[in-house]
Amino acid sequence: MKNLDWSNLSFGYIKTDWNVRCWFKNGAWGPIEESDSEFFPIHIAASSLHYGQEAFEGLKAFRGKDGKVRIFRMEANAERLQSTCRATLMPELPTETFCAMVKKVVELNKDFIPPYESGASLYIRPLIIGTGITVGVKPADEYLAVIFVTPVGPYFKGGFSVNPYALVRSYDRSAPLGMGKYKVGGNYAASLYANRIAHEKGYCSEFYLDAKEKKYIDECGAANFIGIKQGTYVTPKSDSILPSITNKSLMQLAKDNGMKVEQRQIPLEELLEMDEAGACGTAAVISPIERIDDIELGKSYVIAKDGKPGPVLTKLYNQLRAIQYGDVADPHNWVTVLDF
């Protein structure tokens, strides 16, 4: 194991030893290749550079108390990547190939998997880009799939603690019937300016309403919104929202706990009725929301009145983390166990 300060890792890039690659040429995906380089050649007219033909994913591997490594829901990530490929007219990377690449890159970099007691994990970043030459607006004929890894700590400083969010009305992350439900870089580029405004004002992230009517809750920056209202788990239903694998997992755990789950439009004013609220995603798992400030209209929606995470989200967070680290049984077969 590498000599890193595991307990104080930030959520950022640390160079590891290997990445894995697979090229799509002549209508087919080729063999999986190993590389120790952080770079790859790309033509100046590649479709990914000019027309945004690219897609990416994010998942994690965890080292358990038993020393075994667990990868969380990689098949679900493969399926979501395939959905994005269909939307961007890129060839789908087969689930079998995706999973083989993930397992190989994790094993090749096993010395970078944080120890169990550190609270850190190994972040896995799959990426597909169009490498074929296109000057006109059309799909490329060649693509590259790459997966690299990096050890990471908590996404937000302080880990599982409440954070304030800034509601931004002058910016939209995605358009109605656009690419919002796909994991493409353009969605994140569209959020950078609003995210900077939020950070400059002292908030952890920006908060979006629906782009069409500005009436309903959409997303918390790059994460799904979840609310707890009178024991019911509530999360937005929208074609502009990325289908979060973490959110789907938490919804299942909520059902396992006997909770009612509602996926529907959530009017902004319903925030006043929420007992708890949070943002969820692979990076943070759950980031409990302290309050949401409408920075343009000057209104504040306070959720965590005592400044602490609520009991329901705390329970769901601990349950999911326990499954990821192998501390409890995995009733839904979400983890793939590697024993090097």
Side-chain angles (χ1 to χ4, degrees):
M1 187 176 293
K2 297 293 182 179
N3 185 24
L4 296 175
D5 187 3
W6 300 108
S7 297
N8 292 301
L9 290 178
S10 62
F11 193 92
Y13 178 77
I14 294 175
K15 183 183 184 301
T16 54
D17 292 337
W18 298 94
N19 58 80
V20 295
R21 308 173 179 199
C22 186
W23 291 89
F24 181 90
K25 296 181 179 181
N26 300 316
W29 289 102
I32 298 172
E33 304 172 5
E34 302 172 9
S35 176
D36 61 359
S37 172
E38 296 173 277
F39 305 93
F40 48 76
I42 189 167
H43 196 278
I44 58 175
S47 67
S48 56
L49 300 180
H50 298 268
Y51 305 118
Q53 261 203 310
E54 65 84 42
F56 70 100
E57 277 296 323
L59 60 158
K60 287 181 177 179
F62 306 84
R63 190 183 298 278
K65 186 185 297 185
D66 57 6
K68 296 180 181 179
V69 175
R70 291 165 174 83
I71 304 171
F72 187 68
R73 303 202 70 172
M74 63 178 175
E75 292 87 358
N77 280 270
E79 292 169 2
R80 191 171 65 178
L81 181 61
Q82 290 159 4
S83 174
T84 303
C85 286
R86 290 192 294 272
T88 52
L89 296 184
M90 297 194 296
E92 297 177 36
L93 188 67
T95 299
E96 182 180 0
T97 305
F98 179 93
C99 292
M101 292 177 72
V102 169
K103 288 187 281 190
K104 181 177 284 290
V105 75
V106 170
E107 183 171 6
L108 287 170
N109 295 286
K110 59 186 177 182
D111 289 342
F112 288 92
I113 304 172
Y116 169 77
E117 67 275 7
S118 67
S121 57
L122 188 73
Y123 186 73
I124 306 166
R125 170 52 60 85
L127 173 71
I128 298 180
I129 60 170
T131 56
I133 300 170
T134 56
V135 176
V137 182
K138 61 180 180 180
D141 57 2
E142 294 185 358
Y143 298 85
L144 172 63
V146 180
I147 304 183
F148 66 87
V149 298
T150 184
V152 297
Y155 189 73
F156 293 115
K157 292 181 180 179
F160 186 72
S161 57
V162 295
N163 288 293
Y165 284 74
L167 192 159
V168 290
R169 292 177 174 271
S170 299
Y171 302 92
D172 294 318
R173 188 186 132 272
S174 65
L177 306 180
M179 299 294 288
K181 61 183 177 181
Y182 305 110
K183 204 165 178 65
V184 294
N187 288 331
Y188 297 81
S191 72
L192 292 176
Y193 198 89
N195 184 261
R196 172 178 285 185
I197 290 174
H199 283 173
E200 288 177 345
K201 292 182 178 294
Y203 298 92
C204 78
S205 187
E206 75 279 23
F207 188 90
Y208 296 101
L209 298 178
D210 73 288
K212 186 177 181 179
E213 299 183 79
K214 297 289 185 181
K215 290 171 53 179
Y216 303 101
I217 295 172
D218 206 49
E219 283 210 312
C220 307
N224 277 194
F225 172 86
I226 51 178
I228 306 299
K229 178 182 176 181
Q230 298 176 357
T232 297
Y233 184 111
V234 186
T235 192
K237 183 176 179 61
S238 167
D239 286 334
S240 297
I241 294 175
L242 184 73
S244 165
I245 293 168
T246 301
N247 196 1
K248 290 180 180 179
S249 304
L250 292 169
M251 282 191 271
Q252 182 59 58
L253 291 179
K255 293 176 183 177
D256 293 347
N257 292 334
M259 295 178 63
K260 182 181 178 182
V261 174
E262 295 178 354
Q263 193 167 12
R264 57 173 173 80
Q265 287 185 318
I266 306 174
L268 174 61
E269 295 304 315
E270 195 172 341
L271 281 175
L272 298 171
E273 303 171 19
M274 296 293 177
D275 301 309
E276 302 176 42
C280 68
T282 297
V285 185
I286 300 176
S287 172
I289 295 173
E290 177 187 12
R291 70 181 194 278
I292 298 169
D293 293 341
D294 190 330
I295 59 176
E296 295 181 29
L297 297 186
K299 186 171 184 178
S300 184
Y301 301 85
V302 179
I303 309 295
K305 296 179 176 62
D306 60 356
K308 299 178 181 179
V312 176
L313 291 184
T314 299
K315 181 178 180 179
L316 291 173
Y317 174 84
N318 289 333
Q319 284 181 320
L320 186 59
R321 297 281 283 176
I323 291 172
Q324 291 173 331
Y325 280 98
D327 291 336
V328 298
D330 174 25
H332 302 290
N333 296 316
W334 286 338
V335 297
T336 300
V337 181
L338 305 181
D339 192 2
F340 304 127

